[in-house]
Amino acid sequence: MTGGTAALIVAAGRGARAGGGVPKQYRALAGRPVIAHTLAAFAAHPGVDRCLSVIHPDDAALFAAAAPGQDWVAGGATRAGSVRAGLAALAAEGAARVLIHDAARPLVSQALIARVLEALDHHAGAAPGLALSDALWRGAQGLVAGSVPRDDLWRAQTPQGFRLDAILAAHAGGDPKAADDVELARAAGLDVAIVTGDETNLKITLAEDFARAEQLMGARMDIRTGTGFDVHRFGPGNHVMLCGVAVPHGRGLQGHSDADVAMHAISDAIYGALAEGDIGQHFPPSDPQWKGAESHIFLSHATGLAAARGYAISNIDCTIICERPKVGPHAEAMRARLAAILGIGADRIGVKATTSERLGFTGREEGIAAMAAVTLVGR
Ligand code: MG
């Protein structure tokens, strides 16, 4: 990724104050782990080329379940040590700029990411802050002991953006007890611009923060559903492709591509949810380059289109309609294959089959039909 912008998601903390038995960044928020929301926000932003998470080595299994296929490096004993490990990995890849972000701020908006990136064009560092509106007191033994002028005070948020070489150098000689990366950057003499923060970009710290974050998330969640239906006829062959799995059969399915009728229905459901037509519109059958194509190309394209517009796949349900072959024994392999292509957990993918009671074209074993429904969640 030479020269690109990376998001470094800091997730190595133990987060015990939020309760729930696992570190807060892996607890469910509106149906998905907190860190999955955070990663999706950065993956969806066109100005971010790559996401890397820094995690506690004990959390490898939790991370793999929360963010299948996503990259991570092991963090250090302190927050600064963890950030340093992530920066070193990104420097080795040649990243030019980095956005350092708390995994526990899953509500970071696309507009806020854009503001930090924009300010980074003109400064070595940039970070969001919110001016204080409440009066500030100093307290002692439960009594107000004084007031603190708030005129120049800001509440610091993340993502904190930097030119990578500059923040790496700041970390190398910096105070390991620094509160955040801005403090280290300032100590190294870097200019850090303040961009307008976002009141909804809260950091989940306490158990009650989950309820508030869920409320905020629900208010801005954009949910879309799509459906897809496809049919392919039988012809000569010794297997059929269904959801990317070759199922042995006395006949094959005919089609311009590999005729994976189920994957076509799923791809069309995603295109449908986005109001982006269907497979035929994006991959015209008249174009010889798609002859015999493996259908994961279509599915990956549809999913990429969804991601580019800020949508994550929440779940998929696919029904395959045929008398034979028997789908049941292959259903788990099909779910695993789809999960790998889509980068989501297999627990979000349903694959089931039915016969049509020997009625109609599927009942006469002239071909296979498939239908699919998909839910996309955007914000
Ligand atoms: Mg088709």
Side-chain angles (χ1 to χ4, degrees), residues 18 22 26 64 74 100-101 121 125 142 155 160 163 180 219 234 246 277 288 354 357:
V22 296
Y26 301 108
I100 303 170
H101 186 71
D121 288 341
R155 288 154 54 201
Q160 300 182 348
R163 294 180 193 151
D180 64 2
F234 280 125
T354 183
E357 298 281 343

Side-chain angles (χ1 to χ4, degrees), residues 130-204:
L130 286 167
L132 287 174
S133 50
D134 297 327
L136 283 185
W137 296 331
R138 194 170 281 118
Q141 282 97 46
L143 297 175
V144 177
S147 295
V148 181
R150 61 172 186 227
D151 300 345
D152 300 328
L153 295 181
W154 297 77
R155 288 154 54 201
Q157 295 190 329
T158 69
Q160 300 182 348
F162 303 95
R163 294 180 193 151
L164 187 69
D165 51 359
I167 190 67
L168 200 57
H171 263 273
D175 176 0
K177 293 201 188 67
D180 64 2
D181 301 290
V182 164
E183 188 178 326
L184 283 165
R186 291 249 318 121
L190 301 181
D191 277 340
V192 180
I194 302 174
V195 306
T196 306
D198 192 340
E199 202 61 66
T200 62
N201 181 29
L202 75 142
K203 182 173 185 177
I204 294 179

Side-chain angles (χ1 to χ4, degrees), residues 19-214:
V22 296
K24 62 187 176 184
Q25 58 272 35
Y26 301 108
R27 275 185 61 186
L29 175 69
R32 300 166 75 193
V34 168
I35 193 170
H37 291 285
T38 309
L39 283 164
F42 284 91
H45 197 282
V48 175
D49 302 297
R50 164 175 187 24
C51 294
L52 178 68
S53 299
V54 191
I55 70 170
H56 193 285
D58 289 354
D59 297 342
L62 282 171
F63 182 80
Q70 299 263 352
D71 291 331
W72 60 273
V73 293
T78 62
R79 186 187 188 281
S82 295
V83 171
R84 210 156 44 236
L87 294 175
L90 292 172
E93 295 177 11
R97 311 196 296 180
V98 61
L99 301 178
I100 303 170
H101 186 71
D102 299 323
R105 292 186 192 267
L107 285 123
V108 58
S109 69
Q110 301 293 294
L112 180 56
I113 295 171
R115 285 201 289 278
V116 174
L117 288 174
E118 154 84 34
L120 257 192
D121 288 341
H122 311 287
H123 301 272
L130 286 167
L132 287 174
S133 50
D134 297 327
L136 283 185
W137 296 331
R138 194 170 281 118
Q141 282 97 46
L143 297 175
V144 177
S147 295
V148 181
R150 61 172 186 227
D151 300 345
D152 300 328
L153 295 181
W154 297 77
R155 288 154 54 201
Q157 295 190 329
T158 69
Q160 300 182 348
F162 303 95
R163 294 180 193 151
L164 187 69
D165 51 359
I167 190 67
L168 200 57
H171 263 273
D175 176 0
K177 293 201 188 67
D180 64 2
D181 301 290
V182 164
E183 188 178 326
L184 283 165
R186 291 249 318 121
L190 301 181
D191 277 340
V192 180
I194 302 174
V195 306
T196 306
D198 192 340
E199 202 61 66
T200 62
N201 181 29
L202 75 142
K203 182 173 185 177
I204 294 179
T205 308
L206 306 170
E208 53 264 39
D209 296 334
F210 277 86
R212 190 165 158 239
E214 250 169 37

Side-chain angles (χ1 to χ4, degrees), residues 269-285:
I270 298 170
Y271 287 125
L274 296 169
E276 283 276 1
D278 58 16
I279 294 176
Q281 190 174 315
H282 297 278
F283 300 89

